[in-house]
Structures are given as structure tokens and as C-alpha cells.
Amino acid sequence: MSSFEKIALFIDGSNLYATSKALGFDIDYRRLLSEFRGRGVLLRAFYYTTLIDDQEYSSIRPLIDWLDYNGYTVVTKLTKEFVDATTGRRKVKGSMDVDLAVTAMELAGHVDQIVLFSGDGDFRSLVEAVQRRGVRVTVISTLASQPPMIADELRRQADIFVDLAELKPRVGRDPAERPGSREMRQQPPQFIARGTVNRSDQLE
């Protein structure tokens, strides 16, 4: 991989969280960013997640705030609660799939590679679409869990599939290693401002 290759990360937050938990470790988001900055010119690192509308405090909020100040572009959406007409049960609806797909398509003309952290088979058509624009797609999920977290159709469509278990030594942290329950408990002394793309498409 060329050190000048332009890369964008697209992280399906809830999917990556479930995948890392299935493998028994936590993601160290500072190390994850460093890992991919070392692989090329990292233009953007997007993190997508939903928030529950009526909660005064969300347990994910500290992580979102930490990511927002430390090099990630965080995209959130409030979930919506509704009553299922068939069952009468209250359900929560919220998905970031369309938001992620739209941004990926917009950015496809500016990058050489997209790295998708998700095993959701719904992204197969997105992967195929950006590939038609000449962009290589790496999908990161896992086959090591039972059942596997990666949909077979997504794995087959990707140019490269990387098992998250293989990345654990470089981007992971065992839950027992940290004193608190949230990523932001181990904040670095200085925050890194979110990057902007300049005319040379480099992260400032």
C-alpha cells in the first residue's frame, strides 16, 4: 500500500462495538486512528451512531465527545420510538446506513480506498457502487465469533476482508486493562482538533 494513498474510514459504531465485544476486547480509538494514519493519507475517519431521544444521559455520550475532539468526524441521529401496528409493541427505529452510504458515495471521487468497519450485508450494494468508481474497499469485521459478525455477501464483495481479531494487537485493549467503563477515561493530555480537507486533500 502506498504511503500516499488517500484513505477514508467509515465506522458503523454499534456494529463495531458488538463485533469487538464478541471477540472479548475493547477498541482503543486513539490506536485505531494511528494505525490507519500509518497506512496512507487519512482524509477522514467517520463514526456513525444513534442516540436514544428521551434519555437525559446516554452512556455513549462521553465516547462520542472524546471522538469528536480527537480526530474523528462523528455523525449521530436520534432514534424514534413507535408502536408496531401488528403487535402493538413499542419499538425503537434508528439506522445510520443511509447517512453512511451517502457520504461514502460523495467522498468516492476523492479517495483511493475506503475502509468499512461493519459486517452488515446491507452495505454490499454500497461497496459495489464505490468499486465501480475505482475505489478499493476493505471491510473489517470478524468470522471468529459464533455466529460470524460478517455477512457472507459483504465479505465476498469487498476487495479485502480483514478480521478484526487480527487487528486486536494494534487497535485493541482488553476490558480488564482499563479502570473505567468508557474510552474517554484515558484521554491524552492534549486534544487533537478534527481535521479538515485542504486543497491537497491532506488532513490538517
Side-chain angles (χ1 to χ4, degrees):
M1 183 183 299
S2 168
S3 60
F4 297 105
E5 185 174 61
K6 289 179 270 191
I7 306 169
L9 308 184
F10 286 84
I11 300 172
D12 178 347
S14 61
N15 196 284
L16 178 58
Y17 175 83
T19 302
S20 65
K21 288 301 179 188
L23 293 173
F25 71 93
D26 290 332
I27 299 294
D28 185 324
Y29 287 96
R30 192 183 318 115
R31 294 181 70 195
L32 186 150
L33 207 60
S34 296
E35 171 69 20
F36 286 92
R37 278 177 172 158
R39 298 188 181 200
V41 179
L42 184 61
L43 296 187
R44 282 285 188 276
F46 293 96
Y47 183 94
Y48 295 83
T49 191
T50 55
L51 298 172
I52 298 174
D53 191 7
D54 59 354
Q55 277 192 347
E56 289 185 12
Y57 174 81
S58 171
S59 60
I60 200 174
R61 176 61 70 181
L63 172 61
I64 290 171
D65 290 343
W66 188 93
L67 293 171
D68 201 36
Y69 280 106
N70 287 273
Y72 289 85
T73 300
V74 178
V75 184
T76 62
K77 179 190 288 184
L78 294 177
T79 58
K80 293 181 176 152
E81 191 175 87
F82 68 100
V83 176
D84 188 298
T86 306
T87 64
R89 292 182 179 177
R90 292 171 61 149
K91 292 187 176 181
V92 173
K93 180 180 181 181
S95 173
M96 300 298 295
D97 291 5
V98 173
D99 304 74
L100 189 156
V102 168
T103 306
M105 290 298 293
E106 289 176 342
L107 209 59
H110 305 282
V111 297
D112 302 300
Q113 181 183 185
I114 281 175
V115 181
L116 174 64
F117 288 80
S118 182
D120 189 341
D122 289 344
F123 287 125
R124 190 207 64 79
S125 57
L126 167 65
V127 171
E128 185 179 26
V130 298
Q131 286 171 333
R132 286 197 297 267
R133 296 189 173 201
V135 178
R136 290 188 302 107
V137 180
T138 296
V139 170
I140 298 177
S141 186
T142 190
L143 288 165
S145 60
Q146 290 298 328
M149 297 294 288
I150 178 77
D152 188 61
E153 62 271 24
L154 180 62
R155 181 174 63 87
R156 290 174 182 273
Q157 187 66 47
D159 294 294
I160 301 168
F161 169 70
V162 177
D163 200 299
L164 186 63
E166 297 173 16
L167 287 178
K168 179 180 178 179
R170 298 196 291 278
V171 305
R173 178 177 54 235
D174 191 295
E177 291 178 12
R178 60 181 185 171
S181 60
R182 277 289 156 197
E183 168 76 25
M184 44 73 67
R185 294 286 181 93
Q186 296 195 9
Q187 289 181 15
Q190 291 182 332
F191 284 161
I192 303 167
R194 279 182 294 170
T196 56
V197 178
N198 62 23
R199 290 178 185 174
S200 60
D201 287 329
Q202 301 239 355
L203 192 67
E204 293 182 328

